[in-house]
Amino acid sequence: MKHAVCAVYPGSFDPITNGHIYIAGRAAAIFDEVRVSILVNPQKRSMFSVEERQMMAREALSYLPNVTVDHFEGLLIDYLRQLKSRVIIRGLRAMSDFEYEFQMALMNRQLAPEIETFFIVTDPKYSYLSSSSIRDIFQFGGIVQDMVPPGVFRRLRDRFPPRRSCP
Ligand code: PNS
């Protein structure tokens, strides 16, 4: 009997963007189950806590019944082995992503040859989108409303209320 395929889509998701949601949706159309897994990395300063990131991702992905949201610590391959998953999903936006992603996929294969990394190419309209640019743009008053789900926009606005102009 073939087991249902659970694919893990790992990342920082600080915060989740429309580009991530697009990749999760494409993966959910192919794999039986997709687990969006947020890395807990105490060494990296994040804008949102893991709990907040999880909540935002859950809200944004609730329309996809076979997608769940989780978090993990330590090595990605150990987390996959715990889940008995053999599939890593990563999104690709541009060639500039490729070198980093290729290196990570090869490193993960070296550590766990049974695990495969699948790349999903983004929609061109998201090719410029990244969580770090969302954070920067929003902090300095730029418009990000079309780039993130409504729950993320709301939380960004709570965190950085719009600046008042001089009277
Ligand atoms: O969204 P990101 O920050 O590009 O995601 C990177 C992530 C979380 C996939 C990667 O840093 C990761 O898997 N970290 C866990 C530690 C690990 O397994 N490292 C070995 C792979 S090189």
Side-chain angles (χ1 to χ4, degrees):
M1 197 182 79
K2 245 180 104 184
H3 292 284
V5 178
C6 169
V8 171
Y9 177 24
S12 305
F13 302 104
D14 184 32
I16 192 163
T17 69
N18 289 347
H20 293 130
I21 293 166
Y22 178 82
I23 299 295
R26 306 256 339 165
I30 304 278
F31 297 99
D32 300 310
E33 193 193 326
V34 174
R35 195 173 286 223
V36 170
S37 302
I38 300 169
L39 173 69
V40 181
N41 185 355
Q43 272 140 32
K44 200 169 154 184
R45 268 192 57 201
S46 56
M47 174 178 271
F48 292 102
S49 69
V50 175
E51 291 74 25
E52 288 173 310
R53 282 182 266 163
Q54 238 174 227
M55 216 183 302
M56 290 186 278
R58 281 204 183 114
E59 270 170 31
L61 296 165
S62 61
Y63 75 103
L64 294 167
N66 59 336
V67 175
T68 52
V69 179
D70 191 12
H71 62 271
F72 72 103
E73 274 175 77
L75 280 183
L76 178 60
I77 53 132
D78 288 340
Y79 171 73
L80 267 96
R81 281 175 170 163
Q82 257 173 40
L83 289 178
K84 301 204 185 323
S85 168
R86 299 200 316 169
V87 176
I88 299 169
I89 303 286
R90 291 288 287 171
L92 276 183
R93 291 166 301 187
M95 277 308 286
S96 48
D97 280 342
F98 186 73
E99 208 170 305
Y100 167 65
E101 293 297 336
F102 189 64
Q103 204 179 359
M104 195 156 65
L106 286 180
M107 178 57 86
N108 282 328
R109 180 177 293 167
Q110 179 66 27
L111 296 170
E114 78 281 11
I115 291 173
E116 205 64 67
T117 302
F118 284 72
F119 293 109
I120 297 180
V121 173
T122 192
D123 187 290
K125 67 174 184 264
Y126 300 128
S127 59
Y128 59 89
L129 246 185
S130 68
S131 299
S132 58
S133 61
I134 295 291
R135 295 194 302 266
D136 285 349
I137 295 166
F138 199 86
Q139 287 183 63
F140 297 110
I143 294 163
V144 299
Q145 201 153 2
D146 296 338
M147 305 176 198
V148 292
V152 171
F153 183 67
R154 212 178 44 243
R155 283 181 182 82
L156 282 167
R157 225 181 20 201
D158 292 347
R159 180 83 38 113
F160 303 101
R163 288 181 202 167
R164 292 250 178 107
S165 50
C166 295

